[in-house]
Amino acid sequence: MPRILDGSRSGACLAYRGGVHTLPLARSVVDRAAHRRADPGLLAEVWADPRTLVLVVHEGRLPLADDGARLDLRAPSRLRGLRPGEGGAVWVFLGQCDERPYLAVLLADLPVEPGSLEGVAGNGDDVGSWSARVRWGRLRDVGHALGDRDADLATTAVALAEWHARHPHCTRCGAPTRPEQAGWVRRCAEDGTEDYPRTDAAVIMAVTDDAGRILLAHGAQWPPHRYSTLAGFVEPGESLETAVRREVAEETGVLVDEVTYVASQPWPFPASLMLGFRGHATTTDVAVDGKEVTDARWFTRDELSAALRAGEVLLPMRTSIALALIEEWFGDTLPAGPSPATI
Ligand SMILES: [Zn+2]
């Protein structure tokens, strides 16, 4: 069944649960408690709290419990060797949920590489032996399988990890910056400029014609047979609706009039917010740009079913809003495609 507007999931820590919170990476249930970030002692205080759990993020990878559907969150006492203010790692206060505070620690390097036999000899409570033993996965691969709390924690932590890694210098003078506000701000050491995490708006759209067909495209960088909805970044000085019409026209030559917002979800690879739309096509002739898009086709539901069965088409991965948009149009669950690193 169409899943985008299904608001029936449980497990919320926040009181409000609207109808569009069930996209895999849009399940915001953790109270970010942003008012606490200004306290300079917050990270040390939360680290010392026996209720606290810590999410370790290493180069965008997440530690997974054995079933692969839960994060391997650790009490601070079970991450010996890691502590806020020591060793240069960035710490982030993610918020609280069910009376429990959550931290993330963003590591550029692990003390012991995953799978290293040398590290397995530890007792399990030092970060080196743990990091060697634990299974690591990427958010785009496992986000849909995680529960609400874990998906929320992981999405925020990965987004901030990408931002910290890409913004080591002041946007004004180029001097080094350092984290403040419990990991939510970076401040320049020279002139005090504050840099805040950025999110890039991107539109993604299920374009349909008067015959009820959907327009799916193949990107130049994608693996063979992958087809998905069109998408693109919003340009400066442009509305979301204009961006939808421009991207569709540029990449396929198809013209769109009516544009309807559906839902959004963060896509922190590295910093996108995907804004999902439906678009109504007024033309159907396809002329791809040959650069970003090398093929685009109209599909009826029967044609898409047949192409999937024949292996001629692979859809996007389950974590994506693209698959949710396609399934909403189709009216049923469809087989998700693999998650290649290039997408
Ligand atoms: Zn500066």
Side-chain angles (χ1 to χ4, degrees):
M1 289 300 295
R3 297 159 52 250
I4 296 178
L5 300 178
D6 174 8
S8 63
R9 295 185 77 107
S10 59
C13 295
L14 293 180
Y16 174 71
R17 294 281 285 169
V20 292
H21 286 259
T22 53
L23 286 168
L25 304 187
R27 291 173 280 159
S28 299
V29 298
V30 174
D31 175 2
R32 297 180 174 217
H35 63 281
R36 300 184 65 187
R37 296 173 190 161
D39 175 0
L42 178 64
L43 291 174
E45 178 191 324
V46 172
W47 186 85
D49 188 327
R51 298 169 300 175
T52 293
L53 291 176
V54 180
L55 171 57
V56 179
V57 181
H58 171 241
E59 291 190 337
R61 295 182 301 170
L62 305 162
L64 301 173
D66 290 340
D67 63 2
R70 286 179 297 126
L71 297 174
D72 188 357
L73 299 168
R74 308 287 285 182
S77 61
R78 302 195 64 203
L79 283 172
R80 248 195 355 261
L82 285 177
R83 187 172 187 146
E86 297 177 3
V90 176
W91 287 77
V92 175
F93 175 60
L94 293 174
Q96 50 210 29
C97 187
D98 290 336
E99 304 296 319
R100 190 189 287 280
Y102 292 90
L103 296 175
V105 58
L106 317 176
L107 300 182
D109 298 299
L110 291 173
V112 179
E113 277 303 300
S116 161
L117 292 174
E118 193 181 343
V120 179
N123 68 4
D125 283 348
D126 63 286
V127 68
S129 60
W130 169 76
S131 68
R133 271 197 342 269
V134 77
R135 174 182 158 196
W136 295 87
R138 295 192 180 277
L139 180 61
R140 72 173 76 214
D141 298 327
V142 302
H144 67 282
L146 298 174
D148 290 354
R149 180 205 62 176
D150 285 3
D152 192 1
L153 293 172
T155 304
T156 303
V158 168
L160 284 166
E162 295 285 351
W163 175 67
H164 281 288
R166 285 171 166 75
H167 295 81
H169 297 108
C170 175
T171 52
R172 189 172 169 199
C173 76
T177 54
R178 55 174 176 256
E180 285 190 358
Q181 301 266 336
W184 288 85
V185 171
R186 295 187 71 92
R187 184 186 292 275
C188 175
E190 294 294 324
D191 61 18
T193 297
E194 291 182 336
D195 283 336
Y196 289 82
R198 298 286 303 272
T199 298
D200 300 327
V203 291
I204 182 163
M205 39 276 178
V207 174
T208 56
D209 68 2
D210 285 333
R213 300 180 299 173
I214 193 169
L215 180 63
L216 300 181
H218 175 75
Q221 306 298 320
W222 295 356
H225 305 298
R226 174 180 288 269
Y227 282 79
S228 185
T229 52
L230 294 161
F233 287 106
V234 181
E235 293 189 344
E238 188 175 54
S239 71
L240 299 175
E241 294 86 347
T242 303
V244 169
R245 297 186 185 105
R246 176 184 53 76
E247 284 287 342
V248 176
E250 283 178 1
E251 295 184 348
T252 66
V254 171
L255 301 181
V256 167
D257 57 2
E258 188 179 343
V259 171
T260 309
Y261 175 73
V262 179
S264 70
Q265 78 165 354
W267 195 244
F269 314 113
S272 297
L273 175 66
M274 305 303 294
L275 298 138
F277 291 85
R278 300 182 201 99
H280 171 255
T282 57
T283 66
T284 55
D285 288 344
V286 172
V288 296
D289 65 8
K291 298 173 188 165
E292 288 186 55
V293 171
T294 53
D295 188 28
R297 298 183 206 168
W298 293 99
F299 292 89
T300 66
R301 291 172 181 79
D302 287 345
E303 287 168 348
L304 184 59
S305 295
L308 288 166
R309 278 196 304 273
E312 295 167 2
V313 165
L314 294 174
L315 292 176
M317 57 278 200
R318 178 60 61 195
T319 306
S320 68
I321 186 174
L323 184 61
L325 287 168
I326 296 168
E327 288 183 333
E328 188 190 48
W329 161 80
F330 189 83
D332 204 347
T333 302
L334 292 165
S339 175
T342 56
I343 296 176

